[in-house]
Amino acid sequence: MALSFDSDFLKKLEYLHVVSKKAFAGQARADRLAPKRGRGLEFADTRPYSAGDDFRHIDWKAYRRLGRLLLRLFDEEQDLPIYLFIDSSQSMSGESKAQAEKFDQARRLAAALCYIGLAHLDRVTIMPFDETVREERSAGQGKGRIFRVFEMLEEIKTGGTTNLAESFKLFAARGRRAGLAVVISDFLDPNGYESALKVLQARGHAVYVVQIASEADRDPGALGDVKFVDTETGVTRDVEVTPALAAAYGKAWQAYTDALQQFCGRYNIGYIRADVERSVEEIVLQTFRQGRFVA
Amino acid sequence: MSFGAMAGWQAWGLLALTASVLTWLFFMKIRAPRVHVPSLMLWTQVLDATREMTLWERIRKAVSWLVIVATGVLLMLALTRPAPSVVAAGGGRRLIVIDSSWSMGTETPSGGTRWDRAITRARTLIASSAGDEVALATTADGLVEGPTTDAVLLEAALDRLAPSGGEGGDWPRLANVSVVHFITDGTIPRPTEDLATSGARVSVEPVFEPAPNVAITAFETHAGGDPEAQAEAYLELANYSTAAQPVRLVVTRGTVSVADTSIDLSPGEAVRQIVPLGRSGDARVRARISAPDNALAIDDEAVAWIAGAEPLAVTVVSESPGFLQILFERLPGMKATFIAPAAYAQPRTGAEHVVVFDHWVPAEPPAKPALFVSPPPDAASTAPWVGAARQEREPEWRTSLAHPVLRGVDPSTVTLERARAVESDAWTPIARSATGTPLVSVAETVDYRRVMLGFGFAEAESNVALQPAFPVIVVNALEWLARPSLGDQVRPGVVGLEAVVSRLTSPEGQRVEVTTFGATRLARISTPGLYLAEGGGMRSALAVNVGDPQVSNVERTSLTAQTLSDTAAAQANDPWWPTLIAIAFAFALVEWWTWRRRITV
């Protein structure tokens, strides 16, 4: 499926920016306030001159009034590192159409977030993962790069099993600068998601979780004797799906989702649920804003 | 329990197989459809949590299994058509006897005839006795098929059968019979004790259903007192119904209607009618009735034959017929031709019925019925076939046998001057003189009939010509020779005929087999009507009618109320497989509905 957004939606995205709960040091000058003082345009403070400081920043008017050499300090505006982790495991695009829509939804959301970041000169990195982190792709800077982003996202193929913890450990070992880590996944990982998200937080990233879900995840849609096949592992299991069992499964899935949401709340991780039945526009413009993920 | 579609062991086997297969299918793990899920993680959680089946689920599963098995078994029962057992334990040979009396042809108010119901019942019995030997019999024809296990043969035999009387016949006998099914309407009482004495269990299967009927219960013709009428027809009509109804009566003579009238008959009323028949006309007389409520057709028509309707052609071979000529000129219904002995030749080409040889005997025996009057003294030499001659002067008529030829003859008025007779094994004297000389002899075989009078009618021989006995004995002899009476009110069944009758033809022109049994001849007549009897040169008609109050009164039965109620209950059980199918359908519907509503395990 070719990714594209209409111009109206793109215009709306340009007015948004990704909200980071923390300020991160960037690599290049941009329009996001950096945590350190630098050579920005906005006056921030003064401090006593010390040998070696740049004479050009001495506040001569203050010297005339106070007889002391004071150095003028400015806020430095830099770019924000945004890491978009996209789950490319097989569970995101299974055999059924409903499952295939999960990966499409994930790519569209990633593209939207990319465009917001590019529009604000943020450094966006796309990181597909399954049992490990695959080849990371840098989107560059500037909103003109959005078409390249579309191409990059379309090049991502699904496959393999989900292993959030191993993937994020590997990412952490690469020593990337701390930034905004957005994890777009269905979080159906038998090994759990808790340790993986903690690893990201421990490395200083501001973490956001976008849970992709489809009707096929919530309801088996079948009654009677069926052979369930795990899309990722190929493991099968014969199950006599009764209405009671189907209801039990529905409750288990809801409990799993609730647990993910509670975990995110407890560890100050942003949580957004993005069902495939909802449009990207609705999710970005309403749900992301309500979750204070974008503003 | 027996089964209408197959043998018992087959049906039970099928039922057991059905229940087993359905149970196996119910619990069999079929190859499930493959459903791809994103992850088995949550399913594993749900399934690994030990999940005990609730009591309701256990009950529901058991009920579902029972419903499925019951549905299958009910359908199989409908297929195998079970019926209450009619066979003694252990099975064995069965004899099915169908009452073939005429009343079985009665139309029933519920449709069809009693015979149809009997045939249907017989088919059911045959079908339910698969594997056992079955013999089929009727009260008229005896054993008609079997014993055999081939149902096709029995079915074919049933197709051939039809009511044919046989009310008074013996029970058909068959060895080693365990059960006798007697299918009857009970109109003609028939004790079954004789059947039970052989050790067989007797099961009476009634097919009785009351029906209104009108009938001709008697019909015959005889000479009446009306001098203008050749004869008169006597008939009896009866209304065997619970309501009065008009009965139309039509009497025809040949193709001419002689009476067409309507008679109002009260319930249970019987009336007698006498219809005068004219001087001339056809010898065949037919009566037919019709009425609104008339269930039995076979007794609506009756036939009769006027014996003297056709003139009798007589050839008299005599040198001087004398009183014989005078007599034949005055006898009504006689057409006599007189020839001299020299003119007599064989074979006869004339159309006479009887030849009278007066004082002369041909050298060869005549081919036609013949009356010999006083054979000549040399008859034994000129005609050796006639026997040894014997002569007696002034014989006294002493002994005479009861014979149609002598009916109405008073020997005391007869004075004989001489008697000339012949004796041989062929002749049977029916009147003798005091010394034993045959005065009147008859000869009767399957080929001919002859009468010999040992006396002449001339004054020198006897005074017979002057006595009333003269026309009586001559006419008696001619009638016995040419038109013997075969009896009135002959009913279908086995009929005894005169020994001279060698050929019997049905109204449809079919030859009826005549068999010799001792001194008599027997014929099995299965349908009413006017039969033509021939033999020994004579020709007569046999009127066969069903008319019998016992047969025609189809409103009542001799069967007990208990027997009727038992059979009604049994017959009520007959068509219960549609109910089984309906129940099975209801079960399937309930199962489908609960599945739709997911009231299932």
Side-chain angles (χ1 to χ4, degrees):
Chain A
M1 176 183 174
L3 287 170
S4 65
F5 293 132
D6 60 49
S7 55
D8 288 344
F9 181 56
L10 290 176
K11 274 186 181 175
K12 291 176 183 174
L13 290 180
E14 288 173 10
Y15 290 105
L16 298 176
H17 64 274
V18 177
V19 176
S20 174
K21 296 176 181 175
K22 293 194 295 185
F24 297 99
Q27 285 184 318
R29 290 182 60 84
D31 56 359
R32 192 177 297 276
L33 195 63
K36 65 179 183 180
R37 300 288 182 259
R39 291 179 288 182
L41 295 178
E42 287 199 26
F43 174 78
D45 202 355
T46 58
R47 68 171 172 81
Y49 172 80
S50 59
D53 287 337
D54 191 345
F55 289 130
R56 290 176 293 179
H57 291 157
I58 294 173
D59 188 348
W60 297 107
K61 292 180 180 176
Y63 178 76
R64 184 182 170 189
R65 288 197 306 271
L66 302 174
R68 293 169 55 194
L69 286 174
L70 294 174
L71 202 65
R72 297 175 65 178
L73 298 177
F74 296 90
D75 284 337
E76 184 160 343
E77 291 176 333
Q78 294 180 330
D79 56 353
L80 172 66
I82 300 176
Y83 304 102
L84 290 176
F85 291 95
I86 301 176
D87 186 349
S88 61
S89 66
Q90 190 62 35
S91 67
M92 293 292 285
S93 62
E95 300 291 328
S96 67
K97 183 184 175 187
Q99 290 180 39
E101 287 176 349
K102 284 165 64 177
F103 189 63
D104 291 335
Q105 183 81 322
R107 287 192 298 189
R108 281 195 292 268
L109 288 173
L113 291 174
C114 266
Y115 188 75
I116 295 172
L118 292 173
H120 294 86
L121 303 176
D122 292 328
R123 186 174 298 277
V124 181
T125 304
I126 298 170
M127 309 197 74
F129 73 94
D130 38 65
E131 59 259 35
T132 185
V133 175
R134 300 297 175 186
E135 181 186 4
E136 61 183 66
R137 300 146 197 257
S138 175
Q141 286 183 312
K143 55 187 178 183
R145 300 278 296 174
I146 186 62
F147 298 106
R148 175 63 189 145
V149 169
F150 286 157
E151 290 174 4
M152 286 191 296
L153 289 172
E154 286 169 359
E155 288 169 0
I156 300 174
K157 304 298 180 188
T158 56
T161 59
T162 307
N163 194 329
L164 291 165
E166 283 299 316
S167 300
F168 295 163
K169 279 180 187 174
L170 185 62
F171 169 72
R174 290 179 183 175
R176 298 292 180 188
R177 297 172 62 188
L180 189 64
V182 181
V183 183
I184 304 174
S185 172
D186 56 9
F187 291 92
L188 293 174
D189 184 355
N191 303 308
Y193 50 81
E194 295 88 347
S195 61
L197 297 179
K198 284 179 182 176
V199 166
L200 290 179
Q201 271 209 322
R203 297 296 298 175
H205 296 288
V207 183
Y208 275 92
V209 163
V210 179
Q211 186 186 15
I212 307 294
S214 70
E215 180 66 23
D217 295 337
R218 298 188 292 267
D219 186 353
L223 281 179
D225 290 318
V226 294
K227 182 188 285 291
F228 283 132
V229 182
D230 191 313
T231 307
E232 292 186 355
T233 62
V235 174
T236 62
R237 182 149 187 175
D238 291 321
V239 181
E240 185 184 357
V241 182
T242 64
L245 192 63
Y249 172 81
K251 287 180 182 175
W253 188 87
Q254 188 59 47
Y256 186 79
T257 303
D258 292 344
L260 173 62
Q261 189 171 3
Q262 287 171 9
F263 174 84
C264 293
R266 192 181 316 131
Y267 287 93
N268 199 26
I269 297 173
Y271 172 84
I272 301 294
R273 181 167 151 182
D275 292 343
V276 297
E277 293 78 17
R278 300 170 64 197
S279 67
V280 172
E281 289 82 353
E282 180 188 349
I283 294 170
V284 173
L285 300 178
Q286 294 181 13
T287 309
F288 278 15
R289 292 178 76 173
Q290 288 168 358
R292 300 198 58 75
F293 184 30
V294 295
Chain B
M1 179 73 75
S2 58
F3 297 86
M6 57 189 73
W9 66 269
Q10 291 173 324
W12 286 118
L14 185 61
L15 290 172
L17 183 67
T18 301
S20 304
V21 167
L22 288 177
T23 302
W24 176 64
L25 289 174
F26 185 82
F27 291 104
M28 185 185 71
K29 295 293 182 188
I30 59 173
R31 184 172 181 176
R34 296 168 69 89
V35 175
H36 289 266
V37 292
S39 174
L40 278 177
M41 178 182 69
L42 295 176
W43 280 111
T44 305
Q45 281 181 18
V46 172
L47 294 170
D48 288 350
T50 306
R51 184 172 163 275
E52 286 292 330
M53 194 180 284
T54 66
L55 179 63
W56 161 246
E57 288 172 335
R58 289 173 187 275
I59 292 173
R60 182 64 188 84
K61 187 162 187 172
V63 169
S64 182
W65 170 68
L66 286 174
V67 165
I68 288 171
V69 171
T71 303
V73 168
L74 286 170
L75 288 174
M76 287 305 107
L77 284 173
L79 178 70
T80 55
R81 289 186 288 160
S85 181
V86 290
V87 182
R93 183 177 283 182
R94 293 201 219 181
L95 174 61
I96 299 174
V97 182
I98 303 176
D99 183 355
S100 57
S101 59
W102 295 109
S103 61
M104 292 289 282
T106 303
E107 297 277 349
T108 60
S110 56
T113 63
R114 294 176 183 176
W115 181 259
D116 295 336
R117 296 176 65 181
I119 294 296
T120 303
R121 184 64 186 148
R123 289 189 200 282
T124 304
L125 291 170
I126 290 169
S128 66
S129 60
D132 298 334
E133 279 194 324
V134 177
L136 190 64
T138 67
T139 53
D141 303 321
L143 204 61
V144 293
E145 189 58 80
T148 178
T149 56
D150 190 344
V152 176
L153 281 177
L154 297 166
E155 293 274 350
L158 283 176
D159 292 337
R160 293 195 303 268
L161 295 178
S164 55
E167 287 81 5
D170 294 332
W171 285 109
R173 297 290 180 184
L174 190 65
N176 302 323
V177 173
S178 58
V179 183
V180 178
H181 303 280
F182 181 39
I183 307 173
T184 179
D185 62 353
T187 300
I188 306 297
R190 200 177 181 94
T192 57
E193 287 76 10
D194 289 350
L195 282 172
T197 53
S198 60
R201 186 168 68 84
V202 178
S203 171
V204 177
E205 319 254 350
V207 290
F208 172 76
E209 198 172 341
N213 187 39
V214 293
I216 300 173
T217 54
F219 185 56
E220 62 183 12
T221 59
H222 52 73
D226 185 356
E228 296 298 319
Q230 189 177 36
E232 58 188 20
Y234 170 81
L235 58 87
E236 292 178 4
L237 310 176
N239 176 21
Y240 299 110
S241 68
T242 55
Q245 57 179 328
V247 179
R248 185 186 176 198
L249 168 66
V250 177
V251 180
T252 57
R253 187 174 180 182
T255 57
V256 179
S257 174
V258 294
D260 188 346
T261 182
S262 181
I263 306 164
D264 291 323
L265 292 182
S266 303
E269 183 183 7
V271 297
R272 296 174 178 81
Q273 290 280 312
I274 293 176
V275 179
L277 304 172
R279 278 187 173 278
S280 61
D282 201 290
R284 295 165 298 170
V285 183
R286 190 178 303 272
R288 172 179 285 279
I289 59 170
S290 56
D293 295 326
N294 189 10
L296 186 59
I298 196 73
D299 57 7
D300 294 341
E301 188 172 286
V303 292
W305 176 261
I306 305 173
E310 292 179 351
L312 199 63
V314 180
T315 296
V316 180
V317 183
S318 176
E319 288 289 355
S320 55
F323 286 113
L324 279 175
Q325 186 167 6
I326 298 170
L327 176 66
F328 281 120
E329 287 172 352
R330 285 162 175 74
L331 279 177
M334 292 286 177
K335 185 179 178 184
T337 303
F338 296 88
I339 62 173
Y344 178 79
Q346 290 246 56
R348 299 292 300 159
T349 56
E352 74 272 4
H353 297 109
V354 181
V355 182
V356 178
F357 297 99
D358 182 28
H359 292 83
W360 185 77
V361 177
E364 297 295 327
K368 294 205 170 179
L371 169 63
F372 297 91
V373 179
S374 186
D378 59 347
S381 58
T382 58
W385 63 269
V386 82
R390 182 172 175 176
Q391 186 168 314
E392 182 183 351
R393 287 279 174 189
E394 296 179 355
E396 183 184 355
W397 192 321
R398 181 64 61 88
T399 59
S400 57
L401 302 177
H403 194 274
V405 173
L406 300 179
R407 188 182 300 134
V409 176
D410 184 2
S412 63
T413 63
V414 175
T415 302
L416 302 178
E417 297 298 327
R418 69 167 187 237
R420 286 178 187 162
V422 291
E423 288 181 307
S424 74
D425 293 338
W427 295 101
T428 303
I430 57 174
R432 288 179 185 271
S433 67
T435 60
T437 301
L439 301 178
V440 181
S441 299
V442 296
E444 182 179 15
T445 69
V446 295
D447 298 321
Y448 59 84
R449 269 186 174 184
R450 292 164 190 158
V451 177
M452 179 168 289
L453 301 180
F455 50 87
F457 305 119
E459 289 181 6
E461 294 176 276
S462 69
N463 69 340
V464 173
L466 304 175
Q467 300 299 323
F470 178 45
V472 173
I473 197 169
V474 171
V475 170
N476 280 351
L478 295 177
E479 290 286 341
W480 184 77
L481 287 169
R483 297 191 295 211
S485 171
L486 299 177
D488 297 327
Q489 295 286 317
V490 175
R491 293 201 167 83
V494 178
V495 177
L497 301 170
E498 299 279 348
V500 73
V501 176
S502 60
R503 183 187 178 95
L504 194 64
T505 307
S506 73
E508 295 79 25
Q510 303 291 323
R511 182 84 176 267
V512 180
E513 188 178 355
V514 178
T515 56
T516 303
F517 187 75
T520 59
R521 294 203 146 187
L522 300 175
R524 178 178 292 282
I525 296 177
S526 56
T527 56
L530 208 55
Y531 287 73
L532 178 63
E534 297 170 288
M538 74 89 189
R539 188 168 178 268
S540 186
L542 184 67
V544 180
N545 295 312
V546 171
D548 183 349
Q550 206 171 25
V551 172
S552 299
N553 189 358
V554 291
E555 278 280 357
R556 52 120 183 93
T557 181
S558 62
L559 299 174
T560 63
Q562 181 64 40
T563 305
L564 291 173
S565 63
D566 288 350
T567 304
Q571 287 175 347
N573 286 335
D574 278 348
W576 65 319
W577 30 92
T579 308
L580 294 178
I581 292 176
I583 294 172
F585 178 73
F587 276 4
L589 201 64
V590 167
E591 184 65 13
W592 174 80
W593 183 76
T594 54
W595 180 84
R596 289 277 298 174
R597 296 292 304 271
R598 299 193 176 182
I599 308 172
T600 185
V601 292

